[in-house]
Coordinates of all heavy atoms in Angstrom, one line a residue:
M1 N 28.7 7.8 -6.0 CA 27.9 8.3 -7.1 C 28.0 7.4 -8.3 O 29.0 7.2 -8.8 CB 28.3 9.7 -7.4 CG 27.6 10.3 -8.6 SD 27.9 12.1 -8.8 CE 29.6 12.1 -9.3
A2 N 26.9 6.9 -8.7 CA 26.8 6.0 -9.9 C 26.8 6.8 -11.2 O 26.2 7.9 -11.2 CB 25.6 5.1 -9.8
T3 N 27.4 6.3 -12.2 CA 27.3 7.0 -13.5 C 26.7 6.1 -14.5 O 27.1 4.9 -14.6 CB 28.8 7.4 -13.9 OG1 29.4 8.1 -12.9 CG2 28.8 8.1 -15.2
D4 N 25.7 6.5 -15.2 CA 25.2 5.7 -16.3 C 26.1 5.8 -17.5 O 26.5 6.8 -17.9 CB 23.8 6.2 -16.7 CG 22.8 6.0 -15.6 OD1 22.9 5.1 -14.8 OD2 21.8 6.8 -15.5
V5 N 26.3 4.6 -18.1 CA 27.1 4.5 -19.3 C 26.2 3.9 -20.4 O 25.6 2.9 -20.2 CB 28.3 3.6 -19.1 CG1 29.1 3.4 -20.3 CG2 29.2 4.1 -17.9
A6 N 26.2 4.7 -21.5 CA 25.4 4.2 -22.6 C 26.0 3.1 -23.3 O 27.2 3.1 -23.5 CB 25.2 5.4 -23.6
E7 N 25.3 2.0 -23.5 CA 25.8 0.8 -24.1 C 25.8 1.1 -25.6 O 24.9 1.6 -26.2 CB 25.0 -0.4 -23.8 CG 25.1 -0.8 -22.4 CD 24.2 -2.0 -22.0 OE1 23.9 -2.8 -22.9 OE2 23.7 -2.0 -20.9
Q8 N 26.9 0.6 -26.3 CA 27.0 0.7 -27.7 C 26.2 -0.5 -28.3 O 26.2 -1.6 -27.8 CB 28.4 0.6 -28.2 CG 29.3 1.7 -27.6 CD 28.9 3.1 -28.2 OE1 28.5 3.2 -29.3 NE2 28.8 4.1 -27.3
P9 N 25.5 -0.2 -29.4 CA 24.8 -1.3 -30.1 C 25.7 -2.5 -30.4 O 26.8 -2.3 -30.8 CB 24.3 -0.7 -31.4 CG 24.3 0.8 -31.2 CD 25.4 1.0 -30.2
G10 N 25.2 -3.7 -30.1 CA 26.0 -4.9 -30.4 C 27.0 -5.3 -29.3 O 27.7 -6.3 -29.5
T11 N 27.1 -4.5 -28.2 CA 28.0 -4.9 -27.2 C 27.3 -5.5 -26.0 O 26.1 -5.1 -25.8 CB 28.8 -3.7 -26.6 OG1 27.9 -2.7 -26.1 CG2 29.7 -3.0 -27.7
P12 N 27.8 -6.5 -25.3 CA 27.2 -7.1 -24.2 C 26.9 -6.1 -23.1 O 27.7 -5.2 -22.9 CB 28.1 -8.2 -23.7 CG 29.3 -8.2 -24.7 CD 29.2 -7.0 -25.6
A13 N 25.8 -6.3 -22.3 CA 25.4 -5.4 -21.3 C 26.5 -5.3 -20.2 O 26.8 -4.2 -19.7 CB 24.1 -5.8 -20.7
S14 N 27.1 -6.4 -19.8 CA 28.1 -6.4 -18.7 C 29.5 -6.0 -19.2 O 30.3 -5.7 -18.4 CB 28.1 -7.8 -18.0 OG 28.7 -8.7 -18.9
G15 N 29.7 -6.1 -20.5 CA 31.1 -5.9 -21.0 C 32.0 -7.1 -20.9 O 33.0 -7.1 -21.5
S16 N 31.6 -8.1 -20.0 CA 32.5 -9.2 -19.8 C 32.4 -10.2 -21.0 O 33.3 -11.1 -21.1 CB 32.1 -9.9 -18.5 OG 30.8 -10.4 -18.6
G17 N 31.4 -10.1 -21.8 CA 31.3 -11.0 -22.9 C 32.2 -10.6 -24.1 O 32.3 -11.4 -25.1
D18 N 32.7 -9.4 -24.1 CA 33.6 -9.0 -25.2 C 35.0 -9.6 -25.1 O 35.7 -9.2 -24.2 CB 33.7 -7.4 -25.2 CG 34.5 -6.9 -26.4 OD1 34.9 -7.7 -27.3 OD2 34.9 -5.7 -26.4
T19 N 35.3 -10.5 -25.9 CA 36.5 -11.3 -25.8 C 37.6 -10.7 -26.7 O 38.8 -11.0 -26.5 CB 36.3 -12.7 -26.1 OG1 35.9 -12.8 -27.5 CG2 35.4 -13.4 -25.2
G20 N 37.2 -9.8 -27.6 CA 38.2 -9.3 -28.5 C 38.6 -10.2 -29.6 O 39.5 -9.9 -30.4
T21 N 37.8 -11.2 -29.8 CA 38.0 -12.1 -30.9 C 36.7 -12.6 -31.5 O 35.7 -12.7 -30.8 CB 38.9 -13.4 -30.5 OG1 39.1 -14.2 -31.6 CG2 38.2 -14.2 -29.4
E22 N 36.7 -12.9 -32.8 CA 35.6 -13.4 -33.5 C 35.6 -14.9 -33.5 O 34.6 -15.5 -33.8 CB 35.5 -12.8 -34.9 CG 35.4 -11.3 -35.0 CD 34.0 -10.8 -34.5 OE1 33.0 -11.5 -34.8 OE2 33.9 -9.8 -33.9
A23 N 36.7 -15.5 -33.2 CA 36.8 -17.0 -33.3 C 36.1 -17.6 -32.1 O 36.4 -17.4 -30.9 CB 38.3 -17.4 -33.2
P24 N 35.1 -18.4 -32.4 CA 34.2 -19.0 -31.3 C 35.0 -19.8 -30.3 O 34.8 -19.7 -29.1 CB 33.2 -19.9 -32.0 CG 33.2 -19.3 -33.4 CD 34.6 -18.8 -33.7
D25 N 36.0 -20.7 -30.7 CA 36.7 -21.5 -29.8 C 37.6 -20.6 -28.9 O 37.7 -20.9 -27.7 CB 37.6 -22.5 -30.5 CG 36.8 -23.6 -31.2 OD1 35.6 -23.8 -30.9 OD2 37.4 -24.3 -32.1
A26 N 38.2 -19.6 -29.5 CA 39.1 -18.7 -28.6 C 38.2 -17.9 -27.7 O 38.6 -17.8 -26.5 CB 39.9 -17.8 -29.5
A27 N 37.0 -17.5 -28.1 CA 36.1 -16.7 -27.3 C 35.7 -17.5 -26.1 O 35.6 -17.1 -25.0 CB 35.0 -16.2 -28.1
E28 N 35.3 -18.8 -26.4 CA 34.9 -19.7 -25.3 C 36.0 -19.9 -24.3 O 35.8 -19.9 -23.1 CB 34.4 -21.0 -25.9 CG 33.9 -22.0 -24.8 CD 33.4 -23.3 -25.5 OE1 33.1 -23.3 -26.7 OE2 33.3 -24.2 -24.7
S29 N 37.2 -20.1 -24.8 CA 38.4 -20.3 -23.9 C 38.6 -19.1 -23.0 O 38.9 -19.2 -21.8 CB 39.6 -20.6 -24.7 OG 40.7 -20.8 -23.9
I30 N 38.6 -17.9 -23.7 CA 38.8 -16.6 -22.9 C 37.7 -16.5 -21.9 O 38.0 -16.1 -20.7 CB 38.8 -15.5 -23.9 CG1 40.0 -15.5 -24.8 CG2 38.6 -14.1 -23.2 CD1 40.0 -14.6 -26.0
L31 N 36.5 -16.7 -22.2 CA 35.4 -16.6 -21.2 C 35.6 -17.5 -20.0 O 35.4 -17.1 -18.8 CB 34.0 -16.8 -21.8 CG 33.6 -15.7 -22.8 CD1 32.3 -16.1 -23.5 CD2 33.4 -14.4 -22.1
G32 N 36.1 -18.7 -20.3 CA 36.4 -19.7 -19.2 C 37.5 -19.2 -18.3 O 37.4 -19.3 -17.1
M33 N 38.6 -18.6 -18.9 CA 39.7 -18.1 -18.1 C 39.3 -16.9 -17.3 O 39.7 -16.7 -16.2 CB 40.8 -17.8 -19.1 CG 41.5 -19.0 -19.6 SD 43.0 -18.7 -20.6 CE 42.2 -18.4 -22.2
R34 N 38.4 -16.0 -17.9 CA 38.0 -14.9 -17.2 C 37.1 -15.2 -16.0 O 37.1 -14.6 -15.0 CB 37.2 -14.0 -18.2 CG 38.0 -13.2 -19.1 CD 37.2 -12.3 -19.9 NE 38.0 -11.5 -20.8 CZ 37.5 -10.7 -21.8 NH1 36.2 -10.7 -22.0 NH2 38.3 -10.0 -22.6
E35 N 36.3 -16.3 -16.2 CA 35.5 -16.8 -15.0 C 36.4 -17.2 -13.9 O 36.2 -16.8 -12.7 CB 34.7 -18.0 -15.5 CG 33.7 -18.5 -14.4 CD 32.8 -19.6 -14.9 OE1 32.2 -19.5 -16.0 OE2 32.7 -20.6 -14.2
R36 N 37.5 -17.9 -14.2 CA 38.5 -18.2 -13.1 C 39.2 -17.0 -12.5 O 39.4 -16.9 -11.3 CB 39.5 -19.2 -13.7 CG 40.5 -19.7 -12.6 CD 39.9 -20.4 -11.5 NE 40.9 -20.8 -10.5 CZ 40.7 -20.6 -9.2 NH1 39.6 -20.2 -8.7 NH2 41.7 -20.9 -8.4
I37 N 39.5 -16.1 -13.4 CA 40.1 -14.8 -12.9 C 39.2 -14.1 -11.9 O 39.6 -13.6 -10.9 CB 40.5 -13.9 -14.1 CG1 41.7 -14.5 -14.8 CG2 40.7 -12.4 -13.6 CD1 42.0 -13.8 -16.1
D38 N 37.9 -14.1 -12.3 CA 36.9 -13.4 -11.4 C 36.8 -14.1 -10.0 O 36.7 -13.5 -9.0 CB 35.5 -13.4 -12.0 CG 35.4 -12.4 -13.2 OD1 36.4 -11.6 -13.4 OD2 34.5 -12.5 -14.0
E39 N 36.9 -15.5 -10.1 CA 36.9 -16.2 -8.8 C 38.1 -15.9 -8.0 O 38.0 -15.7 -6.7 CB 36.9 -17.7 -9.1 CG 35.6 -18.2 -9.7 CD 35.7 -19.7 -10.2 OE1 36.8 -20.3 -10.1 OE2 34.7 -20.2 -10.6
I40 N 39.3 -15.8 -8.6 CA 40.5 -15.4 -7.9 C 40.4 -14.0 -7.4 O 40.8 -13.8 -6.2 CB 41.7 -15.6 -8.9 CG1 42.0 -17.1 -9.2 CG2 43.0 -15.0 -8.2 CD1 42.9 -17.3 -10.3
D41 N 39.9 -13.1 -8.2 CA 39.7 -11.7 -7.7 C 38.8 -11.7 -6.4 O 39.2 -11.0 -5.5 CB 39.1 -10.8 -8.8 CG 40.1 -10.5 -9.9 OD1 41.3 -10.8 -9.8 OD2 39.6 -10.0 -10.9
N42 N 37.8 -12.4 -6.4 CA 36.9 -12.4 -5.3 C 37.6 -13.0 -4.0 O 37.4 -12.5 -2.9 CB 35.6 -13.2 -5.6 CG 34.7 -12.5 -6.6 OD1 34.7 -11.3 -6.7 ND2 33.9 -13.3 -7.3
A43 N 38.4 -14.0 -4.2 CA 39.2 -14.6 -3.1 C 40.2 -13.6 -2.6 O 40.4 -13.4 -1.4 CB 39.8 -15.9 -3.5
L44 N 40.9 -12.9 -3.5 CA 41.8 -11.9 -3.2 C 41.2 -10.7 -2.4 O 41.8 -10.3 -1.3 CB 42.6 -11.3 -4.4 CG 43.6 -12.2 -5.1 CD1 44.0 -11.6 -6.4 CD2 44.7 -12.5 -4.2
I45 N 40.0 -10.3 -2.8 CA 39.3 -9.2 -2.1 C 39.0 -9.7 -0.7 O 39.2 -8.9 0.3 CB 38.1 -8.8 -2.9 CG1 38.5 -8.0 -4.1 CG2 37.2 -7.9 -2.0 CD1 37.4 -7.8 -5.1
A46 N 38.4 -10.9 -0.5 CA 38.1 -11.4 0.8 C 39.3 -11.5 1.7 O 39.3 -11.1 2.9 CB 37.4 -12.7 0.7
L47 N 40.4 -12.0 1.1 CA 41.6 -12.2 1.9 C 42.2 -10.8 2.3 O 42.7 -10.6 3.4 CB 42.7 -13.0 1.1 CG 42.3 -14.5 1.0 CD1 43.3 -15.1 0.0 CD2 42.4 -15.2 2.4
W48 N 42.1 -9.8 1.4 CA 42.6 -8.5 1.7 C 41.8 -7.9 2.9 O 42.4 -7.3 3.8 CB 42.4 -7.6 0.4 CG 42.8 -6.2 0.6 CD1 42.2 -5.2 1.2 CD2 44.0 -5.6 0.0 NE1 42.9 -4.0 1.1 CE2 44.0 -4.2 0.4 CE3 45.0 -6.1 -0.8 CZ2 45.0 -3.3 0.0 CZ3 46.0 -5.2 -1.2 CH2 46.0 -3.8 -0.8
Q49 N 40.5 -8.0 2.8 CA 39.7 -7.5 3.9 C 40.0 -8.2 5.2 O 40.1 -7.5 6.3 CB 38.2 -7.6 3.5 CG 37.9 -6.7 2.4 CD 36.5 -6.9 1.8 OE1 36.0 -8.1 1.8 NE2 35.9 -5.9 1.2
E50 N 40.1 -9.5 5.2 CA 40.4 -10.2 6.4 C 41.8 -9.8 7.0 O 41.9 -9.6 8.2 CB 40.4 -11.7 6.1 CG 40.7 -12.6 7.4 CD 40.8 -14.1 7.1 OE1 40.6 -14.5 5.9 OE2 41.0 -14.8 8.1
R51 N 42.8 -9.7 6.1 CA 44.1 -9.3 6.5 C 44.1 -7.9 7.1 O 44.7 -7.7 8.2 CB 45.1 -9.4 5.4 CG 46.5 -9.2 5.9 CD 47.5 -8.9 4.8 NE 48.9 -9.0 5.2 CZ 49.4 -8.1 6.0 NH1 48.8 -7.1 6.5 NH2 50.7 -8.2 6.4
A52 N 43.4 -7.0 6.5 CA 43.4 -5.6 7.0 C 42.7 -5.6 8.4 O 43.2 -4.9 9.3 CB 42.6 -4.7 6.0
S53 N 41.7 -6.3 8.5 CA 41.0 -6.4 9.8 C 41.9 -6.9 10.9 O 42.0 -6.4 12.0 CB 39.7 -7.2 9.7 OG 39.1 -7.4 11.0
L54 N 42.6 -8.0 10.6 CA 43.5 -8.6 11.6 C 44.6 -7.7 11.9 O 45.0 -7.5 13.1 CB 44.1 -9.9 11.0 CG 43.1 -11.1 11.0 CD1 43.7 -12.2 10.2 CD2 42.9 -11.6 12.4
S55 N 45.1 -7.0 10.9 CA 46.2 -6.1 11.2 C 45.8 -4.9 12.0 O 46.5 -4.4 12.9 CB 46.8 -5.5 9.8 OG 47.8 -4.7 10.0
Q56 N 44.6 -4.4 11.8 CA 44.0 -3.3 12.6 C 43.9 -3.8 14.1 O 44.1 -3.0 15.0 CB 42.7 -2.8 12.0 CG 42.9 -2.1 10.7 CD 41.6 -1.9 9.9 OE1 40.5 -2.3 10.4 NE2 41.7 -1.4 8.7
R57 N 43.4 -5.0 14.3 CA 43.3 -5.6 15.6 C 44.6 -5.7 16.3 O 44.8 -5.5 17.5 CB 42.5 -6.9 15.6 CG 41.1 -6.7 15.2 CD 40.3 -8.0 15.0 NE 40.5 -9.0 15.9 CZ 40.3 -10.3 15.6 NH1 39.8 -10.7 14.4 NH2 40.6 -11.3 16.5
V58 N 45.6 -6.1 15.5 CA 47.0 -6.2 16.1 C 47.4 -4.9 16.6 O 47.9 -4.7 17.7 CB 48.0 -6.8 15.1 CG1 49.4 -6.6 15.5 CG2 47.8 -8.3 14.8
G59 N 47.3 -3.8 15.7 CA 47.7 -2.5 16.1 C 46.9 -2.0 17.3 O 47.5 -1.4 18.2
A60 N 45.6 -2.2 17.4 CA 44.8 -1.7 18.5 C 45.3 -2.4 19.8 O 45.4 -1.8 20.9 CB 43.4 -2.0 18.2
T61 N 45.5 -3.7 19.7 CA 46.0 -4.5 20.9 C 47.3 -4.0 21.3 O 47.6 -3.8 22.5 CB 46.1 -6.0 20.5 OG1 44.8 -6.4 20.1 CG2 46.5 -6.8 21.7
R62 N 48.2 -3.7 20.4 CA 49.6 -3.3 20.7 C 49.5 -1.9 21.4 O 50.1 -1.6 22.4 CB 50.5 -3.2 19.5 CG 51.9 -2.9 19.8 CD 52.8 -3.0 18.6 NE 52.3 -2.4 17.4 CZ 52.0 -3.1 16.3 NH1 52.1 -4.4 16.2 NH2 51.5 -2.5 15.2
L63 N 48.7 -1.0 20.8 CA 48.5 0.4 21.4 C 47.9 0.3 22.8 O 48.3 1.0 23.7 CB 47.7 1.3 20.5 CG 48.5 1.8 19.3 CD1 47.5 2.6 18.4 CD2 49.6 2.7 19.7
A64 N 46.9 -0.5 22.9 CA 46.2 -0.7 24.2 C 47.1 -1.2 25.3 O 46.8 -0.9 26.5 CB 44.9 -1.6 24.1
S65 N 48.1 -1.9 24.9 CA 49.0 -2.5 25.9 C 50.2 -1.6 26.1 O 51.2 -2.0 26.8 CB 49.4 -3.9 25.5 OG 50.2 -3.8 24.3
G66 N 50.2 -0.4 25.6 CA 51.3 0.6 25.8 C 52.4 0.4 24.7 O 53.5 1.0 24.8
G67 N 52.2 -0.4 23.7 CA 53.2 -0.6 22.7 C 53.2 0.6 21.6 O 52.4 1.5 21.7
T68 N 54.0 0.4 20.6 CA 54.1 1.4 19.6 C 53.0 1.2 18.5 O 52.5 0.1 18.4 CB 55.5 1.3 18.9 OG1 55.6 0.0 18.3 CG2 56.6 1.5 19.9
R69 N 52.8 2.2 17.7 CA 51.8 2.1 16.6 C 52.3 1.1 15.6 O 51.5 0.4 15.0 CB 51.6 3.5 16.0 CG 50.6 3.5 14.9 CD 50.2 4.9 14.4 NE 49.3 4.7 13.2 CZ 49.7 5.1 12.0 NH1 50.9 5.7 11.8 NH2 48.9 4.9 11.0
L70 N 53.6 1.2 15.3 CA 54.2 0.4 14.2 C 55.4 -0.4 14.8 O 56.0 0.0 15.7 CB 54.7 1.2 13.1 CG 53.7 2.1 12.3 CD1 54.5 3.0 11.4 CD2 52.7 1.3 11.6
V71 N 55.6 -1.6 14.1 CA 56.9 -2.3 14.3 C 57.5 -2.4 13.0 O 57.2 -3.2 12.1 CB 56.6 -3.7 14.9 CG1 57.9 -4.5 15.1 CG2 55.8 -3.6 16.2
L72 N 58.5 -1.4 12.8 CA 59.1 -1.3 11.5 C 59.8 -2.6 11.0 O 59.8 -2.9 9.8 CB 60.0 -0.1 11.4 CG 59.3 1.3 11.6 CD1 60.3 2.4 11.6 CD2 58.3 1.5 10.5
S73 N 60.4 -3.3 11.9 CA 61.1 -4.5 11.5 C 60.1 -5.5 10.9 O 60.4 -6.2 10.0 CB 61.8 -5.2 12.7 OG 60.9 -5.5 13.8
R74 N 58.9 -5.6 11.5 CA 57.8 -6.5 10.9 C 57.4 -6.0 9.6 O 57.3 -6.8 8.6 CB 56.6 -6.5 11.9 CG 55.4 -7.2 11.4 CD 55.6 -8.7 11.3 NE 54.4 -9.3 10.8 CZ 54.3 -10.5 10.2 NH1 55.3 -11.2 10.0 NH2 53.1 -10.9 9.9
E75 N 57.3 -4.7 9.4 CA 56.9 -4.2 8.1 C 58.0 -4.5 7.0 O 57.7 -4.9 5.9 CB 56.6 -2.7 8.1 CG 55.3 -2.4 8.9 CD 54.6 -1.1 8.5 OE1 55.1 -0.4 7.7 OE2 53.5 -0.9 9.1
R76 N 59.3 -4.3 7.4 CA 60.4 -4.6 6.5 C 60.4 -6.1 6.1 O 60.6 -6.5 5.0 CB 61.7 -4.3 7.2 CG 62.1 -2.8 6.9 CD 63.6 -2.6 7.2 NE 63.9 -3.0 8.6 CZ 63.8 -2.1 9.7 NH1 63.4 -0.9 9.5 NH2 64.1 -2.5 10.9
E77 N 60.1 -6.9 7.1 CA 60.0 -8.4 6.9 C 58.9 -8.7 5.8 O 59.1 -9.5 4.9 CB 59.6 -9.1 8.2 CG 59.5 -10.6 8.1 CD 59.0 -11.1 9.5 OE1 59.5 -10.7 10.5 OE2 58.1 -12.0 9.4
I78 N 57.8 -8.0 5.9 CA 56.7 -8.3 5.0 C 57.1 -7.8 3.6 O 56.9 -8.4 2.6 CB 55.4 -7.6 5.5 CG1 54.9 -8.4 6.7 CG2 54.3 -7.6 4.4 CD1 53.9 -7.6 7.5
V79 N 57.6 -6.5 3.5 CA 58.0 -6.0 2.2 C 59.1 -6.9 1.6 O 59.0 -7.2 0.4 CB 58.5 -4.5 2.4 CG1 59.2 -4.0 1.1 CG2 57.4 -3.6 2.8
D80 N 60.0 -7.3 2.3 CA 61.1 -8.2 1.8 C 60.5 -9.5 1.3 O 60.9 -10.0 0.2 CB 62.1 -8.5 2.9 CG 63.0 -7.3 3.2 OD1 63.0 -6.3 2.4 OD2 63.7 -7.4 4.2
R81 N 59.5 -10.1 2.0 CA 58.9 -11.3 1.5 C 58.2 -11.2 0.2 O 58.4 -12.0 -0.7 CB 57.9 -11.8 2.6 CG 57.3 -13.2 2.2 CD 56.3 -13.7 3.3 NE 56.5 -13.3 4.6 CZ 55.5 -12.8 5.3 NH1 54.3 -12.7 4.9 NH2 55.8 -12.3 6.6
F82 N 57.5 -10.1 0.1 CA 56.8 -9.8 -1.2 C 57.7 -9.5 -2.3 O 57.5 -9.9 -3.4 CB 55.7 -8.7 -1.0 CG 54.4 -9.2 -0.4 CD1 54.3 -9.5 0.9 CD2 53.3 -9.3 -1.2 CE1 53.1 -10.0 1.4 CE2 52.1 -9.7 -0.7 CZ 52.0 -10.1 0.6
R83 N 58.8 -8.7 -2.0 CA 59.7 -8.4 -3.1 C 60.5 -9.6 -3.5 O 60.7 -9.8 -4.7 CB 60.8 -7.4 -2.5 CG 61.8 -6.9 -3.6 CD 62.9 -6.0 -3.1 NE 62.4 -4.9 -2.3 CZ 62.7 -4.8 -1.0 NH1 63.5 -5.7 -0.4 NH2 62.3 -3.7 -0.3
S84 N 60.8 -10.5 -2.6 CA 61.5 -11.7 -3.0 C 60.6 -12.6 -3.9 O 61.1 -13.2 -4.8 CB 61.9 -12.5 -1.7 OG 62.5 -13.7 -2.0
A85 N 59.4 -12.7 -3.6 CA 58.5 -13.5 -4.3 C 58.0 -12.9 -5.6 O 57.8 -13.6 -6.6 CB 57.2 -13.9 -3.5
L86 N 57.9 -11.6 -5.7 CA 57.2 -10.9 -6.8 C 58.0 -9.8 -7.5 O 57.5 -9.2 -8.4 CB 55.8 -10.3 -6.4 CG 54.9 -11.3 -5.7 CD1 53.7 -10.6 -5.1 CD2 54.4 -12.4 -6.7
G87 N 59.2 -9.6 -7.0 CA 60.0 -8.5 -7.6 C 59.5 -7.1 -7.2 O 58.9 -7.0 -6.2
A88 N 59.8 -6.2 -8.1 CA 59.5 -4.8 -7.8 C 58.0 -4.6 -7.5 O 57.6 -3.8 -6.7 CB 59.9 -3.9 -8.9
D89 N 57.1 -5.3 -8.3 CA 55.7 -5.2 -8.0 C 55.3 -5.7 -6.6 O 54.4 -5.2 -6.0 CB 54.9 -6.0 -9.1 CG 54.9 -5.4 -10.5 OD1 55.2 -4.2 -10.6 OD2 54.6 -6.1 -11.4
G90 N 56.1 -6.7 -6.1 CA 55.8 -7.2 -4.8 C 56.0 -6.1 -3.7 O 55.3 -6.0 -2.7
T91 N 57.0 -5.2 -4.0 CA 57.2 -4.1 -3.0 C 56.0 -3.2 -3.0 O 55.5 -2.9 -1.9 CB 58.5 -3.3 -3.4 OG1 59.6 -4.2 -3.4 CG2 58.7 -2.1 -2.5
Q92 N 55.5 -2.8 -4.1 CA 54.3 -2.0 -4.2 C 53.1 -2.6 -3.6 O 52.4 -2.0 -2.9 CB 54.1 -1.5 -5.7 CG 55.2 -0.7 -6.3 CD 55.5 0.6 -5.4 OE1 54.5 1.3 -5.1 NE2 56.7 0.8 -5.1
L93 N 52.9 -3.9 -3.9 CA 51.8 -4.6 -3.3 C 51.9 -4.7 -1.8 O 50.9 -4.4 -1.1 CB 51.7 -6.0 -3.9 CG 50.6 -6.9 -3.4 CD1 49.2 -6.3 -3.7 CD2 50.7 -8.3 -4.1
A94 N 53.1 -5.0 -1.3 CA 53.3 -5.0 0.2 C 52.9 -3.7 0.8 O 52.3 -3.6 1.9 CB 54.7 -5.5 0.5
L95 N 53.4 -2.6 0.2 CA 53.1 -1.3 0.8 C 51.6 -1.0 0.8 O 51.1 -0.4 1.8 CB 53.9 -0.2 0.0 CG 55.4 -0.3 0.1 CD1 56.1 0.7 -0.8 CD2 55.8 -0.1 1.6
L96 N 50.9 -1.4 -0.2 CA 49.4 -1.2 -0.2 C 48.8 -2.1 0.8 O 47.9 -1.6 1.5 CB 48.9 -1.6 -1.6 CG 49.2 -0.6 -2.7 CD1 48.8 -1.2 -4.1 CD2 48.4 0.7 -2.5
I97 N 49.2 -3.3 1.0 CA 48.6 -4.2 2.0 C 48.9 -3.6 3.4 O 48.0 -3.6 4.2 CB 49.2 -5.6 1.8 CG1 48.7 -6.2 0.6 CG2 49.0 -6.4 3.1 CD1 49.4 -7.5 0.2
L98 N 50.1 -3.2 3.6 CA 50.4 -2.6 4.9 C 49.6 -1.4 5.2 O 49.1 -1.2 6.3 CB 51.9 -2.3 5.0 CG 52.8 -3.5 5.1 CD1 54.3 -3.1 4.9 CD2 52.7 -4.3 6.4
R99 N 49.4 -0.5 4.3 CA 48.6 0.7 4.4 C 47.2 0.3 4.8 O 46.5 1.0 5.6 CB 48.7 1.6 3.2 CG 47.9 2.9 3.3 CD 48.0 3.7 2.1 NE 47.1 4.8 2.3 CZ 47.5 6.1 2.0 NH1 48.7 6.3 1.5 NH2 46.6 7.0 2.1
A100 N 46.6 -0.7 4.1 CA 45.3 -1.1 4.3 C 45.1 -1.5 5.8 O 44.0 -1.3 6.4 CB 44.8 -2.2 3.4
G101 N 46.1 -2.1 6.4 CA 46.0 -2.6 7.8 C 46.2 -1.5 8.8 O 45.6 -1.6 9.9
R102 N 47.1 -0.6 8.5 CA 47.5 0.3 9.6 C 47.1 1.8 9.3 O 47.3 2.7 10.1 CB 49.0 0.3 9.8 CG 49.8 0.6 8.6 CD 51.1 1.3 8.9 NE 52.1 1.1 7.9 CZ 52.1 1.7 6.7 NH1 51.1 2.5 6.4 NH2 53.1 1.5 5.8
G103 N 46.7 2.0 8.0 CA 46.4 3.4 7.6 C 47.7 4.1 7.1 O 48.8 3.5 7.2
P104 N 47.5 5.3 6.6 CA 48.7 6.0 6.1 C 49.7 6.4 7.2 O 49.2 6.6 8.3 CB 48.1 7.2 5.4 CG 46.8 7.4 6.0 CD 46.3 6.1 6.5
L105 N 50.9 6.5 6.8 CA 51.9 7.0 7.8 C 51.8 8.4 8.1 O 51.4 9.2 7.3 CB 53.3 6.6 7.4 CG 53.6 5.1 7.3 CD1 55.0 4.9 6.7 CD2 53.5 4.5 8.6

């Protein structure tokens, strides 16, 4: 369900042009960095979707061959890898990624 949001006078239509600064050089720099952030976000979304699809196929193949729904040692390995690289946030990210691929426990 889409929700219409009334734009405030003087604000950009997309909201992405509001840099929070009046300084032109800083605003230009911020917009450039945001453009790169958007590119990274798009890549992350595509990779997330690809990973989830592959993980679902692994699970379906495992179940079809008489295997278990989950391999907990593999999930622990993934959580540990993310925690090691990213700290506590890595644990949360790994759990979200695993859920996207296998569904909720």
Side-chain angles (χ1 to χ4, degrees):
M1 172 170 69
T3 304
D4 292 331
V5 177
E7 294 177 28
Q8 298 297 319
T11 60
S14 69
S16 63
D18 181 12
T19 61
T21 182
E22 298 290 324
D25 289 344
E28 183 178 339
S29 179
I30 289 168
L31 290 174
M33 289 183 276
R34 285 182 178 172
E35 185 176 312
R36 180 63 183 136
I37 287 170
D38 290 345
E39 291 170 356
I40 292 168
D41 288 349
N42 289 335
L44 288 170
I45 290 167
L47 288 168
W48 179 286
Q49 292 169 332
E50 179 183 3
R51 190 196 190 286
S53 175
L54 285 167
S55 183
Q56 290 163 6
R57 288 171 44 203
V58 165
T61 302
R62 190 173 41 246
L63 283 174
S65 67
T68 60
R69 178 171 176 248
L70 300 174
V71 177
L72 293 179
S73 61
R74 172 68 176 156
E75 291 206 357
R76 272 194 303 273
E77 177 186 317
I78 292 165
V79 170
D80 289 346
R81 183 179 336 130
F82 275 75
R83 182 185 314 114
S84 176
L86 303 172
D89 288 341
T91 300
Q92 295 303 311
L93 180 57
L95 293 173
L96 288 169
I97 288 170
L98 290 169
R99 182 181 174 133
R102 59 148 156 74
L105 292 177

